[in-house]
Amino acid sequence: MVIAIIGVLVGLLLPAVQAAREAARRMSCSNNFKQLGLSLHNYHAAYKQLPANGTGTDAGINGNGQRKSSDATNGGSLSAFSGLLPFFEAQSLWEQLSNPHMPESGESPTGITAAGTWQAFGPAPYIDLNSYDPWQTAIPSLRCPSDPGQSVIGVGQTNYSFCFGDAILRIGYEPT
């Protein structure tokens, strides 16, 4: 009889515990947003502008005024999160990203320089995705704890994004 009563009490208590855990995860997600907002303010205080999205290295400008890309550059495909790394306690990842990076033993990268390294800020995310360590690094403060999803390709993911504005399809086109 006592075991049945304990079983009923546990059955009643379990949903309450799960609800409390989910509330804690939502609060953690909210704190991630606050940290992201603070990092944006700190970036602005340091540079007098907000971080740009779609920046990075390229191989120059072609005759049409568009970025030329090569395997050794990232073709201007870096997220604004790259510039924010030092402002939300990811300084070590920033150091790894902003300096030339040597491939590890056994890796056969395609996007390397003549010196055998990836250039600072790395290749395009779709080149050497599984070799270039910064693209594989998961940053906990950029993931909502309520999201149980895992990357199927083994790269760092985020639940937050930057807006390009309302005309992404018109970027690079003539105004007409």
Side-chain angles (χ1 to χ4, degrees):
M1 184 69 168
V2 173
I3 295 175
I5 293 172
I6 291 173
V8 169
L9 290 176
V10 168
L12 293 173
L13 188 59
L14 192 58
V17 170
Q18 289 174 338
R21 285 182 179 168
E22 181 57 29
R25 286 191 289 265
R26 281 194 310 269
M27 185 178 294
S28 179
C29 193
S30 176
N31 286 337
N32 288 348
F33 269 124
K34 288 178 186 176
Q35 290 300 317
L36 191 54
L38 285 172
S39 64
L40 284 165
H41 282 283
N42 288 336
Y43 185 99
H44 186 267
Y47 300 113
K48 306 289 187 247
Q49 65 183 17
L50 291 173
N53 204 14
T55 62
T57 58
D58 57 38
I61 304 296
N62 67 18
N64 297 333
Q66 297 171 330
R67 292 175 186 243
K68 289 192 289 186
S69 184
S70 75
D71 285 351
T73 70
N74 57 43
S77 58
L78 293 183
S79 165
F81 287 122
S82 300
L84 285 178
L85 288 173
F87 297 95
F88 56 80
E89 300 178 6
Q91 182 69 31
S92 62
L93 183 57
W94 168 256
E95 294 294 332
Q96 190 177 16
L97 181 65
S98 63
N99 292 300
H101 186 70
M102 189 68 147
E104 295 172 5
S105 176
E107 293 178 341
S108 55
T110 56
I112 58 172
T113 65
T117 63
W118 282 288
Q119 71 172 8
F121 300 103
Y126 52 85
I127 297 174
D128 293 331
L129 183 63
N130 295 321
S131 299
Y132 190 64
D133 294 336
W135 296 164
Q136 298 174 13
T137 305
I139 303 169
S141 59
L142 295 180
R143 289 297 306 254
C144 185
S146 293
D147 182 3
Q150 297 295 320
S151 171
V152 294
I153 55 175
V155 297
Q157 290 182 304
T158 180
N159 292 110
Y160 315 115
S161 63
F162 283 90
C163 180
F164 275 104
D166 62 353
I168 185 67
L169 296 177
R170 298 291 179 208
I171 292 177
Y173 288 86
E174 295 180 19
T176 57

